[in-house]
Amino acid sequence: MSPPEEVECDVVIVGGGPAGCTCALYTSRANLKTVMLDKNPAAGALAITSHIANYPGVEDTQMSGAALLERMRDQAIEYGTVARPPPPPPPSPPAPSRPQVFLVEADGDSKTVYTPDLTVKARALVLATGAMGRPPSFKGEDCGGPPPRGRRQVSYCATCDGAFYQDREVAVVGVNAEAVEEAQFLTKFASTVHWVTAVDPKPDDAHAQTLLAPPARPPARPPLLAHAAHSPPPNVKHWSQTRMTTIEGDDSGVTGALLHPKKGDGEPISLPVEGVFIYVAGSKPITDFLDGQAVELNPDGGVKVDEEMATNVPGVYAIGDIRNTPYKQVVVAASDGCIAAMSIDRFLKGRKTIKVDWIHK
């Protein structure tokens, strides 16, 4: 067996999602030799998104997440990024060997990234491995065929998919802050939001109580404005102390959800919902390859960074879903990549200010 190939560069990026590709684009344009490692371009959150509906400049009926990611990757390569593995020419299948990173050495001026076939030494290291989804928690969670206009039927992001449920009934499962915020967002679209909680929210949880309580009556208004004086209560039905056990559906998607209340006669209840939003467990940032390193993590498992996406280790940056921010959107990940790249350019070139990346005519 031959020893792993060794490559030296200015910047090594672990992860080829929208954050990694954007960072690579900017560092390459700044004349920094950049290597981007991506073990599986087809497995990330963006790659499995059927349609893009909220990325600026992209029409949701024309591009899939995989196509947008491919365009981002090609653009980075066009400006000089070395991608491993290189994209195969169509219609060739993906290369069988993927650069799975199993160890990094982040201390010192030189950062080293190890894969079975490749060792990369760089002056700056960017962590962009994202977060992995949790296993299904409910029977039928993986039901549904290809939905219309990209609607997934079982979703984990109301910001991404809420607009597809205009005047439809949906269920939100979970009692954490994310579930409350997502349920509030869905009230803008859904005819009814069924909020299912196995345990009741705490009485001192003002955020949750706001979701349940009708809006306060505004002060008296002149007669001409009387029609606006009484706002209807939120379109939320709270299923207190109730477990969702099954998501019902067929090839077309979700047709209902089976609930089991702890109180009452114990008989299961079938809700006629067309969408289910699940917030019982968040995604987990992929940081296992950082074992033994001094890179600081937040209590929630995300990598801790400052406003320039720099970690506590000089020369090491973290971008995208590996930070475990509440806003897991493509445009946010891309923004992280841009910020990190410009910070890296300043760090490596000893600049005191950030050099902006645009062309004056």
Side-chain angles (χ1 to χ4, degrees):
M1 181 180 295
S2 59
E5 177 188 359
E6 292 190 4
V7 174
E8 293 187 2
C9 61
D10 296 310
V11 183
V12 59
I13 301 172
V14 183
C21 287
T22 303
C23 186
L25 170 63
Y26 274 78
T27 54
S28 295
R29 282 177 59 89
N31 291 324
L32 296 173
K33 183 179 180 181
T34 301
V35 174
M36 182 172 64
L37 306 175
D38 189 10
K39 68 175 183 179
N40 191 348
L46 177 58
I48 63 175
T49 301
S50 58
H51 289 78
I52 298 299
N54 54 4
Y55 191 81
V58 173
E59 297 184 22
D60 60 335
T61 58
Q62 295 184 354
M63 183 172 289
S64 67
L68 176 60
L69 185 57
E70 182 180 4
R71 181 175 294 182
M72 290 179 170
R73 194 166 186 258
D74 289 345
Q75 188 177 20
I77 293 172
E78 179 183 348
Y79 279 100
T81 296
V82 177
R84 293 296 183 95
S92 300
S97 175
R98 295 295 182 186
Q100 171 72 57
V101 173
F102 61 85
L103 177 67
V104 300
E105 292 178 352
D107 294 336
D109 293 336
S110 179
K111 320 301 178 185
T112 307
V113 178
Y114 297 93
T115 80
D117 303 316
L118 181 68
T119 299
V120 182
K121 294 182 179 293
R123 295 193 291 154
L125 167 64
V126 181
L127 310 174
T129 47
M132 59 184 174
R134 57 174 183 79
S137 300
F138 304 97
K139 181 180 179 181
E141 188 172 338
D142 56 353
C143 73
R149 291 182 55 79
R151 184 163 58 88
R152 294 168 51 186
Q153 278 96 15
V154 176
S155 179
Y156 312 91
C157 176
T159 306
C160 307
D161 302 328
F164 297 126
Y165 294 89
Q166 188 73 46
D167 299 325
R168 302 172 187 270
E169 292 190 43
V170 300
V172 174
V173 184
V175 74
N176 53 32
E178 186 180 15
V180 173
E181 292 175 357
E182 298 285 82
Q184 288 176 325
F185 182 84
L186 285 166
T187 60
K188 303 175 183 179
F189 305 100
S191 59
T192 303
V193 176
H194 297 273
W195 185 28
V196 183
T197 61
V199 296
D200 289 342
K202 296 179 180 179
D204 60 351
D205 187 345
H207 197 38
Q209 298 304 326
T210 300
L211 177 62
L212 298 173
R217 179 177 296 183
R221 288 174 169 81
L224 290 178
L225 299 179
H227 66 281
H230 301 283
S231 299
N235 47 336
V236 176
K237 179 174 177 55
H238 183 206
W239 294 87
S240 172
Q241 298 187 34
T242 299
R243 292 183 302 111
M244 184 182 74
T245 58
T246 304
I247 300 173
E248 301 170 328
D250 52 32
D251 289 343
S252 66
V254 169
T255 58
L258 196 63
L259 308 184
H260 284 261
K262 295 181 180 179
K263 297 179 180 180
D265 56 14
E267 289 296 317
I269 299 172
S270 182
L271 290 181
V273 296
E274 296 184 48
V276 176
F277 291 77
I278 300 176
Y279 303 99
V280 297
S283 55
K284 180 181 178 182
I286 301 173
T287 58
D288 54 332
F289 62 95
L290 294 175
D291 285 349
Q293 302 304 304
V295 177
E296 186 177 356
L297 304 182
N298 290 315
D300 61 9
V303 178
K304 185 176 182 179
V305 300
D306 62 17
E307 62 183 7
E308 294 187 350
M309 303 299 149
T311 70
N312 62 305
V313 179
V316 179
Y317 300 77
I319 54 178
D321 288 355
I322 197 174
R323 300 200 296 120
N324 206 25
T325 66
Y327 308 110
K328 296 178 176 62
Q329 300 291 301
V330 181
V331 69
V332 175
S335 174
D336 283 3
C338 171
I339 293 170
M342 299 180 82
S343 301
I344 291 168
D345 182 47
R346 181 174 66 171
F347 171 75
L348 294 183
K349 295 180 179 178
R351 301 183 190 275
K352 294 183 178 180
T353 59
I354 291 176
K355 182 180 179 181
V356 294
D357 182 32
W358 61 64
I359 298 174
H360 292 279
K361 298 292 186 180

